[in-house]
Amino acid sequence: MPRKRQGKLNLSPRKRRLPEREHGDWRVPLEHPEEVEHYVNPSLTMWRRMHLRVEYLQSAETAEWLRAAESDEGWEPIHGWPKVLRLMLAVGVLLPLSVVLVFALLVQLYHAAPTMESFTFWLSEPVWFSLMGALVMAALKFSVIADNLLVYAYVLGHELTHAIAAKMCGGHLQNISIDCNGGYVETDADNLFIALSPYFVPLWMLCWLGVLWLVNWVYPFEAFAPWFYAGFGFWWAFHLYWTVWIIPREQPDMLSNGVMFSLLLVLLMNILALLAVLWSFGVLSLPGYWADLQFCTKEIIDLFADVLGYAWQVFRAMTA
């Protein structure tokens, strides 16, 4: 089979190097001020900010980068009927499903509010040490040296997840490239799971939990639980932060599968992962969440039917 290049991770799409500063959620070199004008100038209106952003994306230099990316072996953006079908699937299935899951989660959290307000919940071992691990991750993010290490750790985990997903799908690896400016994996396998798995599979968190559980199984130690939950919180925060950080940077993983479809699929998978985390902490119960999910689904369907019915009545009144 032909060689496919998966996960061509671009930390700086205009230049393959680490930029000097970060502006908002878009990291760019400072020698291109037109890229960041819509972030750094607070006097601009929202419409002007959007207009500047569109101008940047439609500029000749950006178009040249996109053409260069499309010319890479094994990669091209999705187009034609496959793009239309995935867009319809995203808007018609993934988006409503994500909305229903989130609404059901909010209802379940409302039901669990009395329990969560008690100090017993917040001082419980899983919650306390997980929050401490997440705070350590946030503190390290503000350190220049640690930040560079975190960038490399993210790129390494991103490309390893691509590689593992490719092997799980029966693919063969030809090459893997990893550095602080980005990376890629070359394989003869190509599918949606391989392309998007790094955005919803927290590889380092799974590795931490697996290794620590194995060590405790072989040589049990008393401090297992604090380290287990602290590492869980650290690597879960790591996964969420870098996933949100990298998605806006015009990644081929997203472009080659449809941006809207990829975003909503990644959102849905991370919502499911969040539900699993909250269930493991005892915040929600599966029977209770299932009941709330059915209730929210019925309410949203009824609301949608009422809106369509009202729109139909208005249309008939206008055409009568």
Side-chain angles (χ1 to χ4, degrees):
M1 293 182 64
R3 183 173 56 183
K4 302 288 185 181
R5 178 168 290 188
Q6 293 288 348
K8 185 180 176 185
L9 185 62
N10 298 304
L11 299 188
S12 180
R14 300 290 292 275
K15 293 193 175 185
R16 305 289 182 82
R17 62 179 178 80
L18 283 177
E20 290 81 357
R21 291 181 56 190
E22 182 176 338
H23 298 274
D25 64 345
W26 191 270
R27 183 170 286 188
V28 290
L30 290 180
E31 60 264 26
H32 299 286
E34 71 280 359
E35 299 180 22
V36 298
E37 184 179 354
H38 55 296
Y39 287 117
V40 300
N41 190 345
S43 63
L44 295 177
T45 63
M46 182 177 296
W47 175 255
R48 179 58 180 161
R49 291 172 188 269
M50 293 174 59
H51 182 68
L52 288 172
R53 180 64 180 154
V54 171
E55 284 184 346
Y56 161 65
L57 291 176
Q58 294 180 346
S59 65
E61 194 171 351
T62 303
E64 181 180 354
W65 173 79
L66 288 174
R67 285 194 297 270
E70 294 171 17
S71 64
D72 284 344
E73 182 179 4
W75 184 88
E76 62 178 356
I78 191 172
H79 53 79
W81 279 109
K83 182 177 182 178
V84 174
L85 292 176
R86 288 195 178 185
L87 181 60
M88 293 173 61
L89 179 62
V91 176
V93 178
L94 298 181
L95 180 59
L97 184 56
S98 299
V99 171
V100 170
L101 289 174
V102 170
F103 270 95
L105 175 60
L106 294 177
V107 174
Q108 183 74 185
L109 292 178
Y110 174 77
H111 291 160
T115 303
M116 295 178 64
E117 289 175 359
S118 66
F119 285 102
T120 304
F121 172 79
W122 294 106
L123 294 180
S124 63
E125 197 171 48
V127 175
W128 175 258
F129 286 104
S130 296
L131 290 177
M132 290 301 99
L135 289 176
V136 170
M137 160 59 198
L140 290 178
K141 181 64 185 67
F142 290 98
S143 170
V144 175
I145 298 177
D147 188 36
N148 292 333
L149 293 176
L150 292 176
V151 170
Y152 187 83
Y154 174 73
V155 177
L156 177 61
H158 186 106
E159 303 308 337
L160 285 179
T161 306
H162 280 304
I164 294 172
K167 294 297 291 184
M168 291 174 61
C169 296
H172 300 281
L173 301 179
Q174 279 84 30
N175 186 26
I176 181 170
S177 174
I178 298 169
D179 59 50
C180 284
N181 297 324
Y184 60 85
V185 171
E186 291 181 347
T187 176
D188 56 0
D190 183 21
N191 57 45
L192 192 63
F193 173 67
I194 297 174
L196 299 181
S197 56
Y199 302 95
F200 57 80
V201 176
L203 178 66
W204 295 129
M205 187 191 77
L206 297 178
C207 290
W208 172 268
L209 300 184
V211 169
L212 206 63
W213 177 85
L214 182 61
V215 170
N216 184 67
W217 180 67
V218 177
Y219 298 104
F221 58 100
E222 295 182 358
F224 166 74
W227 282 100
F228 184 87
Y229 291 118
F232 168 83
F234 180 92
W235 291 114
W236 178 255
F238 176 92
H239 166 72
L240 292 182
Y241 173 81
W242 290 106
T243 299
V244 174
W245 182 87
I246 202 64
I247 282 179
R249 286 162 177 76
E250 296 162 343
Q251 298 304 314
D253 294 333
M254 298 285 179
L255 297 174
S256 61
N257 292 284
V259 175
M260 181 65 71
F261 176 80
S262 299
L263 285 176
L264 290 176
L265 182 59
V266 168
L267 174 63
L268 177 62
M269 297 302 296
N270 279 285
I271 290 174
L272 294 176
L274 176 61
L275 294 176
V277 170
L278 294 178
W279 171 75
S280 67
F281 282 179
V283 177
L284 56 85
S285 64
L286 294 182
Y289 183 78
W290 175 248
D292 291 334
L293 183 63
Q294 291 176 310
F295 170 77
C296 291
T297 302
K298 182 179 180 302
E299 290 294 318
I300 291 176
I301 291 176
D302 291 343
L303 177 62
F304 188 68
D306 292 341
V307 171
L308 289 180
Y310 177 75
W312 175 248
Q313 291 178 4
V314 171
F315 175 77
R316 291 187 59 183
M318 294 176 62
T319 56

